[in-house]
Amino acid sequence: MTAPAPAPRAPWPIGRVHWLGIATIYRREAKRYLRWWFEFITQPLVSTGLFVLVFRLALGPDGEDGAGAAAFAYLLPGLLIYSLLMQAVASTLYSLMFDKIEGALADILMPPLTAGEFAAGYMMSALTAASATAAIVLPIVLLAGLGLPADPLTAGVFALLGCTELALCGILIATVAKKWDQAEAFVSFGLTPAAFLSGVFAPVGALPAPLPALIKLNPFHYIVDGFRAGYLGLNDNPVWLNLMVCLAITGGLLVVCLSMLRRGVGIRV
Amino acid sequence: MIHQAPTPRTIGAVNWLGLWTLYRKEVRRFLKVIFQTVGAPVVTTLLFFAVFALALGGIVRTTGTVPYLQFLAPGLVMMAMAQNAFANTSSSVIIAKVQGNIVDVLMPPLSALELAVGYVAGGITRGLLVGLVTLLAMAPFAGLTVYDPVFVLYHAVMACALLSMLGVMGGIWAEKFDHIAAVTNFVVTPLTFLSGTFYTVDRLPETFWWLAHFNPFFYMIDGFRYGFIGHSDGTLAVGIVVLAGVNLALGAATYRMFASGYKLKA
């Protein structure tokens, strides 16, 4: 007499969107940050704090015209958005690179997740990490004398779009890079210079001749300019132009990113 | 035919071959990823220079009688040298400890002094290389000339040695990468940023001004800068003595750590 064969388990019905899958990636990423909480908190705290001190002291006493103080006030929102953008790219890039190098990426590629769900999980965790960084960095710039945003909605929209762009960049770099040092090279030779030279620290108009035109080719410029428009009401470009450029770049990156993930470039052997 | 058993190599008072091998290992370790270990810090430093020169009006400003860019460039070079000398030795020791291949360095017949010298020389090499490349890249834009090469060289080597020894000690003390990250974030980066790289310490409030004069990082930057612009904020002789004294003390401490096997040998 044999035991009756167990009835085959019905496949788990996944709806149009695999919500549980997205939530699981998100939870997995969140746990990763919590494990590195000390570095996660102290790194932006120290680096932004140092930037604030150095710029304040280097820009010098206010003088009669208050030029130093004005330049400093202009710079603070730039420092804030700079920290958020760099956190967004670091989140997706280093998580994916780590899994890729350690061979753990199969755990993400095997489950029934579409490219969109894959990206959504990582994007949401990157945006959460950037928000947490904002909560860490904002008190520093507030202490340094920056007020709250004049137009929080505009500032928020550009911060969100900017971090989305950078998180997508992180995914793209992680698929293209084969080794750690390649991934880091993209950041140190590509993203960091682009971020520094985007008008993040000072008005573009004050630069010598060919530079302002060149900076208009830098995608970071439109994120920073839009964010500052929302924060201080100061901007080089019309806000609608900043918005259009940011939306177009986000859309373009999203298309490229999804197609790479779908085809498995750099992540499926 | 009878093969003769190989005779043991005789090692004199100093194991030159061992020391040279350790040094070569340390140098090849960072040269293998030269884009990250030399290229990236050079780019970052140049970015700081560009931001201050272009965006913050550095071209037209002066610090005292010195054009601001001439003032800034030596400070930035010193900052890059210091950070990279520290990064080289600290990362080398902590990675070897975490991965367990530190035994490859501890097993050979190398004395504590040879170990210390080998690691520190590697750190100095990286620091000087980063400094030299940064300097060459910036000099034409900053209009930098050498006023006194002896001061430049003395302070460059002493600073790299100081940070390399701190790095070795940090690497030996640390048990995890987090510990080294904490030392970098809370000690090395703040001190290299705030000790007069970007501004003259005369600008600091009274209390901090006094603190700056007890800070070896201040003398590193100040003396190195004097070698270029011929002007210093502090007393040069004090700086020379402070750096020599601190390095002697750190050298002794590094030696003791290797000799006692602190956190290295079970």
Side-chain angles (χ1 to χ4, degrees):
Chain A
M1 198 178 135
T2 52
R9 265 175 72 185
W12 173 48
I14 299 171
R16 290 169 60 84
V17 178
H18 192 349
W19 295 113
L20 182 63
I22 298 178
T24 308
I25 293 187
Y26 182 81
R27 271 223 329 261
R28 180 174 181 270
E29 288 301 299
K31 276 188 184 164
R32 199 181 324 234
Y33 296 123
L34 291 179
R35 215 162 37 235
W36 292 95
W37 64 272
F38 183 74
E39 258 214 272
F40 185 86
I41 295 174
T42 55
Q43 215 278 324
L45 205 62
V46 172
S47 70
T48 311
L50 285 177
F51 272 130
V52 165
L53 278 173
V54 158
F55 281 122
R56 186 72 199 99
L57 288 163
L59 284 170
D62 304 337
E64 287 113 48
D65 55 351
F72 186 63
Y74 187 87
L75 177 138
L76 286 173
L79 272 181
L80 180 57
I81 189 75
Y82 174 81
S83 318
L84 305 192
L85 297 178
M86 285 323 206
Q87 177 61 58
V89 68
S91 301
T92 51
L93 174 59
Y94 294 138
S95 285
L96 280 169
M97 266 327 271
F98 185 82
D99 286 349
K100 186 168 155 172
I101 304 263
E102 298 289 313
L105 205 54
D107 298 348
I108 311 283
L109 295 173
M110 283 294 288
L113 286 165
T114 63
E117 289 154 357
F118 179 106
Y122 280 97
M123 296 299 301
M124 279 162 50
S125 63
L127 293 177
T128 310
S131 316
T133 304
I136 297 166
V137 174
L138 194 60
I140 302 179
V141 285
L142 291 181
L143 271 178
L146 185 70
L148 287 167
D151 178 357
L153 181 66
T154 311
V157 166
F158 279 98
L160 181 67
L161 278 174
C163 290
T164 309
E165 282 178 41
L166 270 291
L168 286 167
C169 280
I171 297 182
L172 279 178
I173 295 172
T175 59
V176 176
K178 294 194 172 63
K179 290 190 293 184
W180 270 117
D181 44 321
Q182 287 179 4
E184 295 203 359
F186 276 103
V187 177
S188 17
F189 301 113
L191 294 177
T192 311
F196 258 67
L197 306 174
S198 63
V200 72
F201 297 126
V204 173
L207 296 178
L211 291 172
L214 284 177
I215 286 177
K216 300 284 174 198
L217 300 175
N218 181 348
F220 277 94
H221 172 64
Y222 299 90
I223 305 172
V224 171
D225 200 55
F227 183 74
R228 192 176 275 121
Y231 215 111
L232 294 180
L234 295 171
N235 46 307
D236 287 333
N237 306 319
V239 176
W240 64 264
L241 176 67
N242 289 329
L243 190 64
M244 297 306 290
V245 173
C246 287
L247 281 173
I249 292 175
T250 310
L253 282 171
L254 195 61
V255 170
V256 176
C257 203
L258 288 180
S259 121
M260 301 265 276
L261 289 177
R262 201 168 291 129
R263 286 181 294 140
V265 177
I267 52 173
R268 287 180 203 270
V269 194
Chain B
M1 197 178 140
I2 299 164
H3 286 284
Q4 227 173 356
T7 50
R9 182 164 72 91
T10 48
I11 299 171
V14 177
N15 183 357
W16 291 111
L17 180 63
L19 179 57
W20 173 242
T21 310
L22 176 60
Y23 173 72
R24 266 216 344 240
K25 165 196 165 291
E26 281 302 288
V27 171
R28 288 170 72 162
R29 199 184 74 88
F30 79 78
L31 285 183
K32 189 156 186 248
V33 282
I34 191 167
F35 279 104
Q36 280 317 300
T37 51
V38 179
V42 169
V43 169
T44 313
T45 314
L46 292 178
L47 284 176
F48 272 112
F49 185 72
V51 163
F52 276 91
L54 297 170
L56 301 177
I59 291 173
V60 292
R61 287 169 53 204
T62 56
T63 300
T65 53
V66 183
Y68 181 65
L69 293 185
Q70 272 181 37
F71 177 89
L72 177 68
L76 285 175
V77 171
M78 178 49 83
M79 183 175 93
M81 288 196 295
Q83 290 178 349
N84 283 281
F86 180 84
N88 202 62
T89 50
S90 62
S91 66
S92 179
V93 175
I94 188 69
I95 290 174
K97 269 173 61 176
V98 169
Q99 295 186 343
N101 57 341
I102 189 88
V103 288
D104 297 346
V105 178
L106 296 177
M107 281 293 288
L110 284 165
S111 69
L113 187 62
E114 286 154 0
L115 286 173
V117 171
Y119 273 111
V120 171
I124 295 178
T125 307
R126 165 141 159 223
L128 292 181
L129 183 59
V130 169
L132 183 68
V133 179
T134 317
L135 186 65
L136 292 178
M138 262 186 311
F141 301 103
L144 211 56
T145 49
V146 177
Y147 176 79
D148 187 339
V150 178
F151 271 86
V152 171
L153 206 61
Y154 176 82
H155 287 86
V157 172
M158 289 304 252
C160 290
L162 197 157
L163 270 296
S164 297
M165 288 191 277
L166 278 185
V168 172
M169 294 169 68
I172 294 176
W173 164 80
E175 275 149 28
K176 300 188 286 185
F177 290 114
D178 296 27
H179 294 161
I180 277 299
V183 177
T184 308
N185 278 341
F186 290 116
V187 181
V188 175
T189 313
L191 282 176
T192 49
F193 255 74
L194 300 178
S195 307
T197 303
F198 296 92
Y199 45 79
T200 154
V201 288
D202 293 345
R203 187 165 279 175
L204 294 173
E206 193 98 1
T207 29
F208 290 99
W209 187 87
W210 275 105
L211 273 180
H213 286 72
F214 286 105
N215 171 2
F217 286 70
F218 162 72
Y219 291 107
M220 279 162 29
I221 299 169
D222 197 44
F224 186 68
R225 180 178 285 137
Y226 173 82
F228 291 97
I229 64 175
H231 171 81
S232 65
D233 285 346
T235 316
L236 290 166
V238 174
I240 290 172
V241 174
V242 165
L243 287 180
V246 170
N247 271 342
L248 273 178
L250 287 178
T254 312
Y255 173 79
R256 277 305 303 157
M257 279 179 136
F258 277 119
S260 65
Y262 171 74
K263 290 202 179 182
L264 285 174
K265 298 178 185 174

